[in-house]
Amino acid sequence: MSRAILTINAGSSSIKFALYALDTGIARHPFLSGQIDGIGAAAKLVVKNTDGERIAENPLPEGVKHAEALAALLSWLEAHPQNSRRIAAVGHRVVHGGELYSQPVRLNAAAVTALEQFIVLAPLHQPHNLNGIKALAERLPGVPQIACFDTAFHRTQPALAQLFAIPRALTAEGVRRYGFHGLSYEYIARVLPEYTAKAEGRVIVAHLGNGASMCAMVNRRSQTSSMGFTAIDGLMMGTRTGALDPGVILYLLQSKGMDAKALEKLLYKESGLLGVSGISQDMRTLLASDKAEANEAVDLFCYRIVREIGALAACIGGIDALVFTGGIGEHADEVRKRVCSRLQWLGVDFDESANSSKSVRISRADSKTEVLVIPTDEEWMIAQHTQDLI
């Protein structure tokens, strides 16, 4: 039987997965992929073939947990005739590797224990990543499991870019800027030479989705990023605040009587596009709306991107290319238009026709700063790392 690599991205209520053929190398596209939504409630397993067509949509028992959901996935894979490949290894997206891990790592009990110390740094992500690892260790004993970290790509940043202006004792305890979405940025860095001769120059990448951040690269290595200690920092997001004056937190604690739980809910779940618009966290819904609040939310989202581009460009001494990626970055031409129309001062000569026609290059041929739209592929990046470590 031929072999395959399974990639897993376990969230709080969903699990995304993909299966890649492992022959002489990793296939460019998975032959099966999908997700399990509604974990803990009314869960459903959806499986797609290599063309993105749904080939299964199976309800799971009410209240199913991560371990049971993964068991259902493996049972489906074992029983389905389209999957004739043995799982040779599993690659996991793990949000936080702290200062310990600047590269993917093959997991053992000691490594899992080490990763548990970062739960406090990423409480909404890390526990679920680890749940997936533990569940598959029981279900697939002896099969290598690889952790690929969202923070690892940013460990190349200069020491100054990773510091906060806080007492040194806190910095020594790990309170520093880490950066996230590293697997997406690493993928863009890897494929960038295929799209531009400026790949080794000063490149700013905007990963825009429900979670959004930006990264400034030189020689395809991270120099600084908009996200810091947590995945709340930086850009405005679907339901997250982005950068916020710490005084606002003090005000909410002291004057509004909010506790840590209420603040966590506000910062992560009730703000961003949803909070400003009062309508939706979905950019598509807001762009289709004629309400002033929806337009203001979109404008603020774009304004924050422009402001962050200016800050990142200052840190790396200019900009040679700007890359849009992620769900919003790849598909919302109106967002790209609103951002690029404010960047003439940075050498962007925006091509509106190319932008609306979904071209890869959306700047004019003589634009000093190239602007590109490149689809990201975190799952392939995980599969590639997994192959390298086995």
Side-chain angles (χ1 to χ4, degrees), residues 359-377:
S359 298
V360 171
R361 186 182 306 277
I362 59 172
S363 54
R364 300 189 189 280
D366 58 352
S367 179
K368 180 181 176 183
T369 298
E370 288 188 44
V371 185
L372 306 167
V373 182
I374 304 176
T376 193
D377 196 339

Side-chain angles (χ1 to χ4, degrees), residues 5 38 50 52 66 70 123-124 135 149 187 231 250 291 311 328 360 382:
I5 284 177
T50 191
H66 282 77
L70 286 167
L124 300 189
F149 304 102
Y187 175 81
L250 291 175
K291 293 188 176 180
I328 294 173
V360 171
I382 295 170

Side-chain angles (χ1 to χ4, degrees), residues 41-333:
K44 179 172 64 176
L45 167 64
V46 174
V47 185
K48 300 178 181 179
N49 62 20
T50 191
D51 296 319
E53 301 167 336
R54 291 193 179 194
I55 57 175
E57 192 168 340
N58 300 343
L60 301 181
E62 186 80 19
V64 66
K65 306 295 186 186
H66 282 77
E68 299 158 327
L70 286 167
L73 168 62
L74 294 178
S75 295
W76 188 93
L77 292 174
E78 290 164 3
H80 200 274
Q82 279 195 242
N83 177 35
S84 59
R85 295 175 181 268
R86 174 180 62 84
I87 295 175
V90 183
H92 296 266
R93 175 182 179 240
V94 178
V95 166
H96 222 302
E99 294 179 81
L100 277 180
Y101 299 109
S102 58
Q103 299 290 335
V105 64
R106 185 163 175 164
L107 291 163
N108 53 30
V112 172
T113 299
L115 291 174
E116 287 176 338
Q117 70 180 289
F118 302 129
I119 289 175
V120 67
L121 302 184
L124 300 189
H125 301 89
Q126 196 85 350
H128 309 298
N129 301 158
L130 296 180
N131 284 342
I133 290 167
K134 293 171 184 177
L136 284 178
E138 291 184 10
R139 182 77 183 192
L140 298 173
V143 173
Q145 297 200 77
I146 309 300
C148 302
F149 304 102
D150 252 354
T151 51
F153 182 71
H154 301 296
R155 299 285 58 77
T156 60
Q157 292 181 7
L160 281 178
Q162 301 183 47
L163 295 179
F164 290 117
I166 56 176
R168 300 186 76 88
L170 289 172
T171 302
E173 291 176 9
V175 182
R176 60 175 61 236
R177 299 184 64 86
Y178 291 101
F180 298 90
H181 291 137
L183 289 165
S184 175
Y185 294 127
E186 185 178 9
Y187 175 81
I188 297 298
R190 182 172 290 212
V191 302
L192 200 53
E194 301 172 18
Y195 294 89
T196 175
K198 298 181 178 182
E200 308 298 332
R202 301 162 300 180
V203 179
I204 294 175
V205 183
H207 176 104
L208 308 178
N210 191 50
S213 69
M214 301 185 73
C215 175
M217 304 178 191
V218 177
N219 294 323
R220 294 190 285 155
R221 292 161 66 88
S222 177
Q223 300 300 304
T224 190
S225 57
S226 62
M227 280 185 173
F229 180 62
T230 69
I232 312 175
D233 199 11
L235 300 179
M236 172 183 176
M237 305 175 219
T239 61
R240 287 174 253 174
T241 59
L244 186 67
D245 181 347
V248 174
I249 303 300
L250 291 175
Y251 167 77
L252 295 174
L253 284 167
Q254 296 167 350
S255 299
K256 295 295 184 181
M258 296 182 74
D259 60 13
K261 204 70 180 174
L263 283 171
E264 181 181 273
K265 185 178 180 183
L266 174 73
L267 296 173
Y268 277 100
K269 300 292 185 181
E270 297 178 337
S271 300
L273 291 171
L274 176 62
V276 175
S277 71
I279 298 169
S280 176
Q281 69 190 65
D282 193 316
M283 180 60 74
R284 294 166 296 189
T285 300
L286 298 180
L287 288 172
S289 174
D290 58 0
K291 293 188 176 180
E293 297 87 347
N295 186 62
E296 184 175 56
V298 176
D299 265 347
L300 182 57
F301 182 80
C302 296
Y303 171 80
R304 290 293 299 132
I305 294 169
V306 171
R307 180 169 168 166
E308 197 66 45
I309 289 172
L312 294 176
C315 288
I316 58 174
I319 180 172
D320 298 307
L322 171 65
V323 178
F324 289 94
T325 194
I328 294 173
E330 294 168 28
H331 302 294
D333 55 315

Side-chain angles (χ1 to χ4, degrees), residues 3-51:
R3 302 182 301 159
I5 284 177
L6 174 65
T7 67
I8 294 290
N9 183 351
S12 59
S13 61
S14 66
I15 297 172
K16 295 180 182 178
F17 64 89
L19 224 61
Y20 290 83
L22 178 57
D23 298 314
T24 55
I26 291 294
R28 189 61 193 81
H29 300 287
F31 63 91
L32 289 175
S33 64
Q35 62 188 57
I36 301 171
D37 285 321
I39 293 173
K44 179 172 64 176
L45 167 64
V46 174
V47 185
K48 300 178 181 179
N49 62 20
T50 191
D51 296 319

